[in-house]
Amino acid sequence: MSVYTPAEVVEETGFSLDTLRYYEKIGLLAPVDRNAAGQRRFSEEDLGWLGTIRCLRDTGMPIAQMLRFAELVRAGDHTIPDRIALLEEHDTRVRGQIDNLIERQRYIHSKISYYRSVL
């Protein structure tokens, strides 16, 4: 099983060391194993979970909801229906954001067309 130093995890995930510490402190990231010297050593599972967190964060999920999702995952498979519901709600919000951006992009395109027409 591979283990990763904090620096390697920062490089792999794009999260800062402070963010990793914060996520561990609030329980979004499970307590990370440490070596004999007390230095954090992240597992493949930790990296996978951080990838999930990255996706949820980048799509605008609030930390409170990410924490709820983490609780559900840690509670076991019987929470899968609740996880699906939480992710479906988030997906609906993401779809709304995408639709809004598409509308804004259309407006920008119309402005570009207008300005090109007056040249």
Side-chain angles (χ1 to χ4, degrees), residues 18-107:
D18 287 339
T19 298
L20 293 173
R21 285 186 201 108
Y22 174 69
Y23 286 169
E24 187 178 7
K25 178 182 176 183
I26 66 171
L28 189 53
L29 179 62
V32 177
D33 289 335
R34 295 175 183 263
N35 65 13
Q39 299 163 325
R40 287 179 174 85
R41 292 296 178 251
F42 293 82
S43 68
E44 289 282 342
E45 187 177 322
D46 293 327
L47 281 182
W49 180 248
L50 286 167
T52 299
I53 292 170
R54 167 62 71 194
C55 175
L56 297 176
R57 186 180 97 163
D58 287 354
T59 56
M61 182 179 277
I63 285 190
Q65 281 191 305
M66 287 192 284
L67 284 167
R68 176 69 181 139
F69 184 71
E71 290 170 4
L72 292 169
V73 169
R74 290 184 191 121
D77 287 348
H78 69 280
T79 67
I80 288 175
D82 293 327
R83 289 184 240 170
I84 291 169
L86 188 147
L87 291 173
E88 286 177 338
E89 289 172 19
H90 182 62
D91 184 58
T92 299
R93 284 189 300 277
V94 169
R95 170 50 53 199
Q97 293 169 347
I98 291 169
D99 291 345
N100 185 40
L101 285 172
I102 290 170
E103 183 181 323
R104 300 296 175 233
Q105 185 181 41
R106 284 186 188 124
Y107 178 80

Coordinates of all heavy atoms in Angstrom, one line a residue, residues 18-107:
D18 N -2.4 23.9 4.8 CA -3.4 24.5 5.8 C -4.8 23.9 5.6 O -5.5 23.6 6.5 CB -3.4 26.0 5.7 CG -2.2 26.7 6.3 OD1 -1.5 26.0 7.1 OD2 -1.9 27.8 5.9
T19 N -5.2 23.8 4.3 CA -6.5 23.3 4.0 C -6.6 21.8 4.4 O -7.6 21.4 5.0 CB -6.8 23.4 2.5 OG1 -6.8 24.8 2.2 CG2 -8.1 22.8 2.1
L20 N -5.6 21.0 4.2 CA -5.6 19.6 4.6 C -5.7 19.5 6.1 O -6.5 18.7 6.6 CB -4.3 18.9 4.1 CG -4.1 18.8 2.6 CD1 -2.8 18.2 2.3 CD2 -5.2 17.9 2.0
R21 N -5.0 20.3 6.8 CA -5.0 20.3 8.3 C -6.5 20.7 8.8 O -7.0 20.1 9.7 CB -4.0 21.3 8.9 CG -2.6 20.8 8.9 CD -1.7 21.7 9.6 NE -0.3 21.5 9.2 CZ 0.4 22.3 8.4 NH1 -0.1 23.5 8.1 NH2 1.6 22.0 8.0
Y22 N -7.0 21.7 8.1 CA -8.3 22.2 8.5 C -9.4 21.1 8.2 O -10.2 20.9 9.1 CB -8.7 23.5 7.7 CG -10.1 23.9 7.9 CD1 -10.5 24.5 9.1 CD2 -11.0 23.9 6.8 CE1 -11.8 24.9 9.3 CE2 -12.3 24.3 7.0 CZ -12.7 24.8 8.2 OH -14.0 25.2 8.4
Y23 N -9.3 20.5 7.1 CA -10.3 19.4 6.8 C -10.2 18.3 7.8 O -11.2 17.7 8.1 CB -10.1 18.9 5.3 CG -10.6 19.8 4.2 CD1 -10.2 19.6 2.9 CD2 -11.3 20.9 4.5 CE1 -10.7 20.4 1.9 CE2 -11.8 21.8 3.5 CZ -11.5 21.5 2.2 OH -11.9 22.4 1.2
E24 N -9.0 18.0 8.2 CA -8.8 16.9 9.2 C -9.3 17.4 10.5 O -10.1 16.6 11.2 CB -7.3 16.5 9.3 CG -7.1 15.4 10.2 CD -5.6 14.9 10.3 OE1 -4.7 15.7 9.8 OE2 -5.4 13.9 11.0
K25 N -9.1 18.6 10.9 CA -9.6 19.2 12.2 C -11.1 19.2 12.3 O -11.6 18.8 13.3 CB -9.0 20.6 12.3 CG -9.5 21.3 13.6 CD -8.9 22.7 13.7 CE -9.5 23.4 14.9 NZ -9.0 24.8 15.0
I26 N -11.8 19.5 11.2 CA -13.2 19.6 11.3 C -13.9 18.3 11.0 O -15.1 18.2 11.1 CB -13.8 20.7 10.3 CG1 -13.6 20.3 8.9 CG2 -13.3 22.1 10.7 CD1 -14.3 21.2 7.9
G27 N -13.1 17.3 10.6 CA -13.7 15.9 10.4 C -14.1 15.7 9.0 O -14.7 14.6 8.7
L28 N -13.8 16.6 8.1 CA -14.1 16.3 6.7 C -13.2 15.2 6.1 O -13.5 14.4 5.3 CB -14.0 17.6 5.8 CG -14.5 17.5 4.4 CD1 -15.9 17.0 4.3 CD2 -14.3 18.9 3.8
L29 N -12.0 15.2 6.6 CA -11.0 14.2 6.3 C -10.8 13.4 7.6 O -10.5 14.0 8.6 CB -9.7 14.9 5.8 CG -8.5 14.0 5.5 CD1 -8.8 13.1 4.3 CD2 -7.3 14.8 5.2
A30 N -10.9 12.1 7.5 CA -10.7 11.3 8.7 C -9.2 11.5 9.2 O -8.3 11.9 8.5 CB -10.9 9.8 8.3
P31 N -9.0 11.2 10.5 CA -7.7 11.4 11.0 C -6.6 10.6 10.2 O -6.9 9.4 9.8 CB -7.8 10.8 12.4 CG -9.2 10.9 12.8 CD -10.0 10.8 11.5
V32 N -5.6 11.3 9.8 CA -4.6 10.7 8.9 C -3.5 10.0 9.8 O -3.2 10.4 10.9 CB -3.9 11.9 8.1 CG1 -2.8 11.4 7.3 CG2 -4.9 12.6 7.3
D33 N -3.1 8.8 9.3 CA -2.1 8.0 10.0 C -0.8 8.8 10.1 O -0.6 9.7 9.3 CB -1.9 6.7 9.2 CG -3.0 5.7 9.3 OD1 -3.8 5.8 10.3 OD2 -3.1 4.9 8.4
R34 N -0.1 8.5 11.1 CA 1.2 9.2 11.3 C 2.3 8.1 11.4 O 2.1 7.0 11.9 CB 1.2 10.0 12.5 CG 0.2 11.2 12.4 CD 0.1 12.0 13.7 NE -0.9 13.1 13.5 CZ -0.6 14.3 13.2 NH1 0.7 14.7 13.0 NH2 -1.5 15.2 13.1
N35 N 3.5 8.5 11.0 CA 4.7 7.6 11.2 C 5.2 7.7 12.6 O 4.6 8.4 13.4 CB 5.7 7.8 10.1 CG 6.4 9.2 10.2 OD1 6.3 9.9 11.3 ND2 7.2 9.6 9.2
A36 N 6.3 7.0 12.9 CA 6.8 6.9 14.3 C 7.3 8.3 14.7 O 7.3 8.6 15.9 CB 8.0 6.0 14.3
A37 N 7.6 9.2 13.8 CA 8.0 10.5 14.1 C 6.9 11.5 14.3 O 7.0 12.7 14.5 CB 9.0 11.1 13.1
G38 N 5.6 11.0 14.1 CA 4.5 11.8 14.2 C 4.1 12.6 12.9 O 3.2 13.4 12.9
Q39 N 4.8 12.3 11.8 CA 4.5 13.0 10.6 C 3.3 12.3 9.9 O 3.2 11.1 9.8 CB 5.7 13.0 9.7 CG 6.9 13.7 10.3 CD 8.2 13.3 9.6 OE1 8.4 12.2 9.2 NE2 9.1 14.3 9.5
R40 N 2.5 13.1 9.3 CA 1.3 12.6 8.6 C 1.7 11.7 7.4 O 2.6 12.1 6.6 CB 0.4 13.7 8.1 CG -0.4 14.4 9.2 CD -1.3 15.5 8.6 NE -2.1 16.1 9.6 CZ -1.8 17.0 10.4 NH1 -0.6 17.5 10.4 NH2 -2.6 17.5 11.3
R41 N 1.0 10.6 7.2 CA 1.2 9.8 6.0 C -0.1 9.4 5.5 O -0.9 8.8 6.1 CB 2.0 8.5 6.4 CG 3.4 8.8 6.8 CD 4.2 9.3 5.6 NE 5.6 9.6 5.9 CZ 6.1 10.8 6.0 NH1 5.3 11.9 5.8 NH2 7.4 11.0 6.3
F42 N -0.4 9.9 4.3 CA -1.7 9.8 3.6 C -1.7 8.5 2.8 O -0.7 8.1 2.2 CB -2.0 10.9 2.7 CG -2.2 12.3 3.4 CD1 -1.1 13.0 3.8 CD2 -3.5 12.7 3.7 CE1 -1.3 14.2 4.5 CE2 -3.7 13.9 4.3 CZ -2.6 14.7 4.7
S43 N -2.9 7.8 2.8 CA -3.1 6.6 2.0 C -3.7 6.9 0.7 O -4.2 8.0 0.4 CB -4.0 5.7 2.8 OG -5.3 6.2 2.9
E44 N -3.8 5.8 -0.1 CA -4.5 5.9 -1.4 C -6.0 6.3 -1.2 O -6.6 7.0 -1.9 CB -4.5 4.6 -2.1 CG -3.1 4.2 -2.7 CD -2.8 5.0 -4.0 OE1 -3.7 5.5 -4.7 OE2 -1.6 5.0 -4.3
E45 N -6.5 5.7 -0.1 CA -7.9 6.0 0.3 C -8.1 7.5 0.6 O -9.1 8.1 0.2 CB -8.4 5.1 1.5 CG -9.8 5.2 1.8 CD -10.2 4.3 2.9 OE1 -9.7 3.2 3.0 OE2 -11.1 4.8 3.8
D46 N -7.1 8.0 1.3 CA -7.2 9.5 1.7 C -7.2 10.3 0.4 O -7.9 11.3 0.2 CB -6.0 9.9 2.5 CG -6.0 9.3 3.9 OD1 -7.1 9.1 4.5 OD2 -4.9 9.0 4.5
L47 N -6.3 9.9 -0.6 CA -6.2 10.7 -1.8 C -7.5 10.6 -2.6 O -8.0 11.5 -3.2 CB -5.1 10.1 -2.7 CG -3.7 10.6 -2.3 CD1 -2.7 10.0 -3.3 CD2 -3.6 12.1 -2.3
G48 N -8.1 9.4 -2.6 CA -9.4 9.2 -3.3 C -10.5 10.1 -2.7 O -11.3 10.7 -3.4
W49 N -10.5 10.1 -1.3 CA -11.5 10.9 -0.6 C -11.3 12.4 -0.9 O -12.2 13.2 -1.1 CB -11.5 10.6 0.9 CG -12.5 11.5 1.6 CD1 -12.2 12.4 2.5 CD2 -13.9 11.4 1.5 NE1 -13.3 13.0 3.0 CE2 -14.4 12.4 2.4 CE3 -14.8 10.6 0.8 CZ2 -15.8 12.6 2.6 CZ3 -16.1 10.8 1.0 CH2 -16.6 11.8 1.9
L50 N -10.0 12.8 -0.9 CA -9.7 14.2 -1.2 C -10.1 14.6 -2.7 O -10.5 15.7 -2.9 CB -8.2 14.5 -1.0 CG -7.8 14.6 0.4 CD1 -6.3 14.5 0.6 CD2 -8.3 15.8 1.1
G51 N -10.1 13.6 -3.6 CA -10.6 13.9 -4.9 C -12.1 14.1 -4.9 O -12.6 15.0 -5.6
T52 N -12.8 13.4 -4.1 CA -14.2 13.6 -3.9 C -14.5 15.0 -3.4 O -15.3 15.7 -3.9 CB -14.9 12.5 -3.0 OG1 -14.7 11.2 -3.7 CG2 -16.3 12.8 -2.8
I53 N -13.8 15.3 -2.3 CA -13.9 16.7 -1.7 C -13.6 17.8 -2.7 O -14.3 18.8 -2.8 CB -13.0 16.8 -0.5 CG1 -13.5 15.9 0.6 CG2 -12.9 18.2 0.0 CD1 -12.5 15.7 1.8
R54 N -12.6 17.6 -3.5 CA -12.2 18.6 -4.5 C -13.4 18.8 -5.5 O -13.7 19.9 -5.8 CB -10.9 18.1 -5.3 CG -10.6 18.9 -6.6 CD -10.3 20.3 -6.4 NE -9.1 20.5 -5.7 CZ -8.7 21.7 -5.2 NH1 -9.5 22.7 -5.3 NH2 -7.5 21.8 -4.6
C55 N -14.0 17.7 -6.0 CA -15.1 17.8 -6.9 C -16.3 18.5 -6.2 O -16.8 19.5 -6.8 CB -15.5 16.4 -7.3 SG -17.0 16.4 -8.3
L56 N -16.6 18.2 -5.0 CA -17.7 18.8 -4.3 C -17.4 20.3 -4.1 O -18.3 21.1 -4.3 CB -18.0 18.1 -3.0 CG -18.5 16.6 -3.2 CD1 -18.7 15.9 -1.9 CD2 -19.7 16.5 -4.1
R57 N -16.2 20.6 -3.6 CA -15.9 22.0 -3.4 C -15.9 22.8 -4.6 O -16.4 23.9 -4.7 CB -14.5 22.0 -2.7 CG -14.1 23.4 -2.2 CD -12.8 23.5 -1.6 NE -11.8 23.9 -2.6 CZ -10.6 24.3 -2.3 NH1 -10.2 24.4 -1.0 NH2 -9.8 24.7 -3.2
D58 N -15.3 22.2 -5.7 CA -15.2 23.0 -6.9 C -16.5 23.2 -7.6 O -16.7 24.1 -8.4 CB -14.3 22.3 -7.9 CG -12.8 22.4 -7.6 OD1 -12.4 23.1 -6.6 OD2 -12.0 21.7 -8.2
T59 N -17.5 22.4 -7.2 CA -18.9 22.6 -7.8 C -19.8 23.4 -6.8 O -21.0 23.5 -7.0 CB -19.5 21.3 -8.1 OG1 -19.5 20.4 -7.0 CG2 -18.8 20.7 -9.3
G60 N -19.2 24.0 -5.7 CA -19.9 24.9 -4.9 C -20.6 24.3 -3.7 O -21.4 24.9 -3.1
M61 N -20.3 23.0 -3.4 CA -21.0 22.4 -2.2 C -20.5 23.1 -0.9 O -19.3 23.1 -0.7 CB -20.9 20.9 -2.1 CG -21.6 20.3 -1.0 SD -21.4 18.5 -0.8 CE -22.7 18.0 -2.0
P62 N -21.4 23.6 -0.1 CA -21.0 24.2 1.2 C -20.3 23.1 2.1 O -20.6 21.9 2.0 CB -22.3 24.7 1.8 CG -23.2 24.7 0.7 CD -22.8 23.7 -0.3
I63 N -19.4 23.5 2.9 CA -18.7 22.6 3.8 C -19.7 21.9 4.7 O -19.5 20.7 5.0 CB -17.6 23.4 4.7 CG1 -16.4 23.7 3.8 CG2 -17.2 22.6 5.9 CD1 -15.2 24.2 4.5
A64 N -20.7 22.5 5.2 CA -21.7 21.8 6.0 C -22.3 20.6 5.3 O -22.4 19.5 5.9 CB -22.8 22.7 6.5
Q65 N -22.5 20.7 4.0 CA -23.1 19.6 3.3 C -22.0 18.5 3.0 O -22.3 17.3 3.0 CB -23.7 20.1 2.0 CG -25.1 20.6 2.1 CD -25.7 20.9 0.8 OE1 -25.1 21.5 -0.1 NE2 -26.9 20.3 0.6
M66 N -20.8 19.0 2.8 CA -19.7 18.0 2.6 C -19.5 17.2 3.9 O -19.2 16.0 3.8 CB -18.4 18.7 2.2 CG -18.4 19.2 0.8 SD -16.8 19.8 0.2 CE -16.6 21.3 1.0
L67 N -19.6 17.9 5.0 CA -19.5 17.2 6.3 C -20.6 16.2 6.5 O -20.4 15.1 6.9 CB -19.5 18.2 7.5 CG -18.2 19.0 7.7 CD1 -18.4 20.1 8.7 CD2 -17.1 18.0 8.2
R68 N -21.8 16.6 6.1 CA -22.9 15.6 6.2 C -22.7 14.4 5.3 O -22.9 13.3 5.6 CB -24.2 16.3 5.7 CG -25.4 15.4 5.7 CD -25.8 15.0 7.1 NE -27.0 14.1 7.0 CZ -27.1 13.0 7.7 NH1 -26.2 12.6 8.6 NH2 -28.2 12.2 7.5
F69 N -22.2 14.7 4.1 CA -21.8 13.6 3.1 C -20.8 12.7 3.8 O -20.9 11.4 3.7 CB -21.4 14.1 1.8 CG -21.1 13.1 0.8 CD1 -22.2 12.4 0.2 CD2 -19.8 12.8 0.4 CE1 -21.9 11.4 -0.8 CE2 -19.6 11.8 -0.6 CZ -20.6 11.1 -1.2
A70 N -19.7 13.2 4.4 CA -18.7 12.5 5.0 C -19.3 11.6 6.1 O -18.9 10.4 6.3 CB -17.6 13.4 5.5
E71 N -20.2 12.2 6.9 CA -20.8 11.4 8.0 C -21.6 10.2 7.4 O -21.5 9.1 8.0 CB -21.8 12.3 8.8 CG -21.1 13.4 9.6 CD -22.2 14.4 10.2 OE1 -23.4 14.2 10.0 OE2 -21.7 15.3 10.8
L72 N -22.3 10.5 6.4 CA -23.1 9.4 5.8 C -22.2 8.3 5.2 O -22.4 7.1 5.4 CB -23.9 9.9 4.6 CG -25.1 10.8 5.1 CD1 -25.7 11.5 3.8 CD2 -26.1 10.1 5.9
V73 N -21.1 8.7 4.6 CA -20.1 7.7 4.1 C -19.6 6.8 5.2 O -19.5 5.6 5.1 CB -19.0 8.3 3.2 CG1 -17.9 7.3 2.9 CG2 -19.6 8.9 2.0
R74 N -19.2 7.5 6.3 CA -18.5 6.8 7.4 C -19.5 5.9 8.2 O -19.2 4.9 8.8 CB -17.9 7.8 8.3 CG -16.6 8.4 7.7 CD -15.9 9.3 8.7 NE -14.9 10.0 7.9 CZ -14.8 11.4 7.8 NH1 -15.7 12.1 8.5 NH2 -13.9 11.9 7.1
A75 N -20.8 6.2 8.0 CA -21.9 5.5 8.8 C -22.2 4.1 8.1 O -22.7 3.3 8.8 CB -23.1 6.3 8.9
G76 N -21.8 4.0 6.9 CA -22.0 2.7 6.2 C -22.9 2.7 5.1 O -23.6 3.7 4.8
D77 N -23.0 1.5 4.5 CA -23.8 1.3 3.2 C -25.3 1.6 3.4 O -26.0 1.9 2.4 CB -23.6 0.0 2.6 CG -22.2 -0.2 2.0 OD1 -21.5 0.9 1.8 OD2 -21.9 -1.3 1.7
H78 N -25.8 1.5 4.6 CA -27.2 1.7 4.8 C -27.6 3.2 4.6 O -28.8 3.5 4.4 CB -27.7 1.3 6.2 CG -27.2 2.1 7.3 ND1 -25.9 2.0 7.8 CD2 -27.7 3.1 8.0 CE1 -25.7 2.9 8.8 NE2 -26.8 3.6 8.9
T79 N -26.6 4.1 4.4 CA -26.9 5.5 4.2 C -26.8 5.8 2.7 O -26.9 7.0 2.3 CB -25.9 6.4 4.9 OG1 -24.5 6.2 4.4 CG2 -25.8 6.1 6.4
I80 N -26.6 4.8 1.9 CA -26.5 5.1 0.4 C -27.7 5.9 -0.1 O -27.5 6.9 -0.9 CB -26.2 3.8 -0.4 CG1 -24.8 3.4 -0.1 CG2 -26.5 4.0 -1.9 CD1 -24.4 2.1 -0.7
P81 N -29.0 5.6 0.2 CA -30.1 6.4 -0.3 C -30.0 7.8 0.2 O -30.3 8.7 -0.6 CB -31.3 5.7 0.4 CG -30.9 4.3 0.6 CD -29.5 4.4 1.0
D82 N -29.5 8.1 1.4 CA -29.3 9.5 1.8 C -28.2 10.2 1.0 O -28.3 11.4 0.7 CB -29.0 9.5 3.3 CG -30.2 9.1 4.2 OD1 -31.4 9.3 3.8 OD2 -30.0 8.5 5.2
R83 N -27.2 9.4 0.7 CA -26.1 10.0 -0.1 C -26.6 10.4 -1.5 O -26.2 11.4 -2.0 CB -24.9 9.0 -0.2 CG -24.2 8.8 1.1 CD -23.0 7.9 0.9 NE -23.1 6.7 1.7 CZ -22.4 5.7 1.7 NH1 -21.4 5.6 0.7 NH2 -22.5 4.7 2.5
I84 N -27.3 9.5 -2.0 CA -27.9 9.7 -3.4 C -28.7 11.0 -3.3 O -28.6 11.9 -4.2 CB -28.7 8.5 -3.9 CG1 -27.8 7.4 -4.2 CG2 -29.5 8.9 -5.1 CD1 -28.6 6.1 -4.4
A85 N -29.6 11.1 -2.3 CA -30.5 12.3 -2.2 C -29.6 13.6 -2.1 O -29.9 14.6 -2.7 CB -31.4 12.2 -1.0
L86 N -28.6 13.5 -1.3 CA -27.7 14.7 -1.1 C -27.0 15.1 -2.4 O -27.0 16.3 -2.8 CB -26.7 14.4 0.0 CG -25.9 15.6 0.5 CD1 -25.5 15.4 2.0 CD2 -24.6 15.7 -0.3
L87 N -26.5 14.1 -3.1 CA -25.8 14.4 -4.3 C -26.8 14.8 -5.4 O -26.4 15.7 -6.2 CB -25.0 13.1 -4.8 CG -23.8 12.8 -3.9 CD1 -23.2 11.5 -4.3 CD2 -22.8 13.9 -3.9
E88 N -28.0 14.3 -5.4 CA -29.0 14.8 -6.4 C -29.4 16.2 -6.2 O -29.5 17.0 -7.1 CB -30.2 13.9 -6.4 CG -30.0 12.5 -7.0 CD -31.2 11.6 -6.9 OE1 -32.1 11.8 -6.0 OE2 -31.3 10.6 -7.7
E89 N -29.5 16.6 -4.9 CA -29.8 18.0 -4.6 C -28.7 18.9 -5.1 O -28.9 20.0 -5.7 CB -30.0 18.2 -3.1 CG -31.3 17.6 -2.6 CD -31.4 17.6 -1.1 OE1 -30.6 18.4 -0.4 OE2 -32.2 16.9 -0.5
H90 N -27.5 18.4 -4.8 CA -26.3 19.2 -5.3 C -26.2 19.3 -6.8 O -26.0 20.4 -7.4 CB -25.0 18.6 -4.7 CG -23.8 19.4 -5.1 ND1 -23.6 20.7 -4.7 CD2 -22.7 19.1 -5.8 CE1 -22.4 21.1 -5.2 NE2 -21.9 20.2 -5.9
D91 N -26.5 18.2 -7.4 CA -26.5 18.2 -8.9 C -27.5 19.1 -9.5 O -27.2 19.8 -10.5 CB -26.8 16.7 -9.4 CG -26.7 16.6 -10.9 OD1 -25.7 16.9 -11.5 OD2 -27.7 16.2 -11.5
T92 N -28.7 19.3 -8.8 CA -29.7 20.2 -9.3 C -29.2 21.6 -9.2 O -29.4 22.5 -10.1 CB -31.0 20.1 -8.5 OG1 -31.5 18.7 -8.7 CG2 -32.0 21.1 -8.9
R93 N -28.5 21.9 -8.1 CA -27.9 23.3 -7.9 C -26.8 23.5 -9.0 O -26.7 24.6 -9.6 CB -27.3 23.5 -6.5 CG -28.4 23.7 -5.5 CD -27.8 24.1 -4.1 NE -26.9 23.1 -3.6 CZ -27.3 22.1 -2.9 NH1 -28.5 21.9 -2.6 NH2 -26.4 21.2 -2.4
V94 N -26.0 22.5 -9.2 CA -24.9 22.7 -10.3 C -25.5 22.9 -11.6 O -25.1 23.7 -12.4 CB -24.0 21.4 -10.3 CG1 -23.1 21.4 -11.5 CG2 -23.2 21.3 -9.0
R95 N -26.6 22.2 -11.9 CA -27.3 22.3 -13.2 C -27.8 23.8 -13.4 O -27.7 24.4 -14.4 CB -28.4 21.3 -13.4 CG -29.4 21.5 -14.5 CD -28.8 21.7 -15.9 NE -27.9 20.7 -16.3 CZ -27.0 20.9 -17.3 NH1 -27.0 22.0 -18.0 NH2 -26.2 19.9 -17.6
G96 N -28.3 24.3 -12.3 CA -28.8 25.7 -12.3 C -27.6 26.7 -12.6 O -27.8 27.7 -13.3
Q97 N -26.5 26.4 -12.0 CA -25.3 27.3 -12.2 C -24.9 27.2 -13.6 O -24.5 28.2 -14.2 CB -24.2 26.9 -11.3 CG -24.4 27.1 -9.8 CD -23.4 26.4 -8.9 OE1 -22.6 25.6 -9.3 NE2 -23.4 26.8 -7.6
I98 N -24.9 26.0 -14.2 CA -24.5 25.8 -15.6 C -25.4 26.6 -16.5 O -25.0 27.3 -17.4 CB -24.4 24.3 -15.9 CG1 -23.2 23.7 -15.2 CG2 -24.3 24.1 -17.4 CD1 -23.2 22.2 -15.3
D99 N -26.7 26.4 -16.3 CA -27.7 27.1 -17.1 C -27.5 28.6 -17.0 O -27.6 29.3 -18.0 CB -29.1 26.7 -16.6 CG -29.5 25.2 -17.0 OD1 -28.8 24.6 -17.8 OD2 -30.5 24.7 -16.4
N100 N -27.3 29.1 -15.8 CA -27.0 30.5 -15.7 C -25.8 31.0 -16.4 O -25.8 32.0 -17.1 CB -26.9 30.9 -14.2 CG -26.8 32.4 -13.9 OD1 -27.5 33.2 -14.6 ND2 -25.9 32.7 -13.0
L101 N -24.7 30.2 -16.4 CA -23.5 30.6 -17.1 C -23.7 30.5 -18.6 O -23.2 31.4 -19.3 CB -22.4 29.6 -16.7 CG -21.7 29.9 -15.4 CD1 -20.8 28.7 -15.0 CD2 -21.1 31.2 -15.3
I102 N -24.5 29.6 -19.1 CA -24.8 29.5 -20.5 C -25.6 30.7 -20.9 O -25.3 31.3 -22.0 CB -25.6 28.2 -20.8 CG1 -24.6 27.0 -20.7 CG2 -26.2 28.2 -22.2 CD1 -25.3 25.6 -20.8
E103 N -26.5 31.1 -20.1 CA -27.3 32.3 -20.4 C -26.4 33.6 -20.5 O -26.5 34.4 -21.4 CB -28.4 32.5 -19.4 CG -29.3 33.7 -19.6 CD -30.3 33.9 -18.5 OE1 -30.8 32.8 -18.0 OE2 -30.6 35.0 -18.2
R104 N -25.5 33.7 -19.5 CA -24.6 34.8 -19.5 C -23.6 34.8 -20.7 O -23.3 35.8 -21.3 CB -23.8 34.8 -18.2 CG -24.6 34.9 -16.9 CD -25.3 36.3 -16.9 NE -26.2 36.3 -15.7 CZ -27.5 36.6 -15.8 NH1 -28.0 36.9 -16.9 NH2 -28.2 36.6 -14.7
Q105 N -23.2 33.6 -21.1 CA -22.3 33.4 -22.2 C -23.0 33.9 -23.5 O -22.4 34.5 -24.4 CB -21.8 32.0 -22.4 CG -20.8 31.8 -23.5 CD -20.4 30.4 -23.6 OE1 -21.2 29.5 -23.5 NE2 -19.1 30.2 -23.8
R106 N -24.3 33.5 -23.6 CA -25.1 34.0 -24.8 C -25.1 35.5 -24.9 O -25.0 36.1 -25.9 CB -26.5 33.4 -24.8 CG -26.6 32.0 -25.1 CD -28.1 31.5 -25.2 NE -28.1 30.1 -25.3 CZ -28.7 29.3 -24.5 NH1 -29.5 29.7 -23.5 NH2 -28.7 28.0 -24.7
Y107 N -25.3 36.1 -23.7 CA -25.3 37.6 -23.7 C -23.9 38.2 -24.1 O -23.9 39.1 -24.9 CB -25.6 38.1 -22.3 CG -25.6 39.6 -22.1 CD1 -26.6 40.4 -22.5 CD2 -24.5 40.2 -21.6 CE1 -26.6 41.7 -22.4 CE2 -24.4 41.6 -21.5 CZ -25.5 42.4 -21.9 OH -25.4 43.7 -21.8

